């Protein structure tokens, strides 16, 4: 499975988390992976691991989003936009394997595909500010 496909599945898992409790998500993850049919163990482990890593850094990610998105705190953002942003900010700040341009472009595409009419430009604007003005380095 290609990274783009994996990223989309991680996005969907993070989005599902918005509607399920932490306890429910364990079962939801299993059901989701089962629904994908022929899924290699390597792909499943990569997606599960990245999903968990995003959650581990969620407070830091949301804090950065709230500092950057003037007038649009995370509580006001659409869940699709917020999910795309969270995944991209994780990749920008904590995943050294993902180039900045790829993280931004993929998030914009996810926002366009699953979000509203303005989602792509909204996500692009916030991520552009973070990428250009971010003084934090990518670190684990």
């Amino acid at each position: 499975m290609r990274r783009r496909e994996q990223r989309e599945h991680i996005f969907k898992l993070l989005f599902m988390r918005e509607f399920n409790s932490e306890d429910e998500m364990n079962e939801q993850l299993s059901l989701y992976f089962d629904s994908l049919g022929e899924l290699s163990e390597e792909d499943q482990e990569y997606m599960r691991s990245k999903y968990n890593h995003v959650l581990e850094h969620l407070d830091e990610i949301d804090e950065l989003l709230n500092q950057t998105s003037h007038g649009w705190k995370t509580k006001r953002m659409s869940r699709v936009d917020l999910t795309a942003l969270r995944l991209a900010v994780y990749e920008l700040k904590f995943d050294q394997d993902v180039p900045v341009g790829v993280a931004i472009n993929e998030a914009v595409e996810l926002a366009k595909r699953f979000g509203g009419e303005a989602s792509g430009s909204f996500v692009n604007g916030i991520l552009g500010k973070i990428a250009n003005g971010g003084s934090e380095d990518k670190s684990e």
Side-chain angles (χ1 to χ4, degrees):
M1 182 180 294
R2 301 178 79 169
R3 289 291 156 138
R4 174 174 277 189
E5 293 173 87
Q6 291 173 333
R7 186 178 284 106
E8 183 176 320
H9 290 302
I10 296 163
F11 167 84
K12 289 176 180 178
L13 292 170
L14 290 167
F15 185 77
M16 284 176 16
R17 184 190 165 275
E18 295 293 310
F19 302 95
N20 292 282
S21 71
E22 194 174 324
D23 291 339
E24 292 171 322
M25 276 311 292
N26 287 328
E27 183 178 350
Q28 291 298 321
L29 285 168
S30 296
L31 292 170
Y32 185 81
F33 288 135
D34 288 346
S35 77
L36 296 179
E38 293 289 323
L39 180 65
S40 76
E41 193 150 329
E42 182 180 318
D43 285 336
Q44 182 175 332
E45 179 53 39
Y46 175 82
M47 290 185 282
R48 187 180 295 269
S49 175
K50 192 159 188 172
Y51 166 83
N52 286 324
H53 281 93
V54 173
L55 296 183
E56 288 170 12
H57 293 283
L58 205 54
D59 289 341
E60 295 165 80
I61 291 168
D62 284 357
E63 184 178 326
L64 181 57
L65 288 171
N66 284 324
Q67 290 171 357
T68 306
S69 59
H70 303 289
W72 283 96
K73 300 305 176 206
T74 54
K75 299 258 187 251
R76 286 190 58 213
M77 293 178 191
S78 82
R79 291 181 180 176
V80 168
D81 296 355
L82 179 58
T83 302
L85 286 165
R86 284 173 167 168
L87 180 55
V89 170
Y90 169 78
E91 290 180 336
L92 289 171
K93 297 296 177 183
F94 303 104
D95 190 342
Q96 297 183 4
D97 293 336
V98 180
V100 170
V102 171
I104 294 172
N105 290 338
E106 293 290 326
V108 169
E109 290 304 314
L110 287 168
K112 284 181 183 177
R113 182 166 177 203
F114 296 106
E117 195 173 304
S119 291
S121 57
F122 177 73
V123 167
N124 188 52
I126 291 175
L127 294 176
K129 285 181 188 177
I130 290 171
N132 291 328
S135 60
E136 300 174 30
D137 292 326
K138 287 185 177 183
S139 59
E140 197 64 26

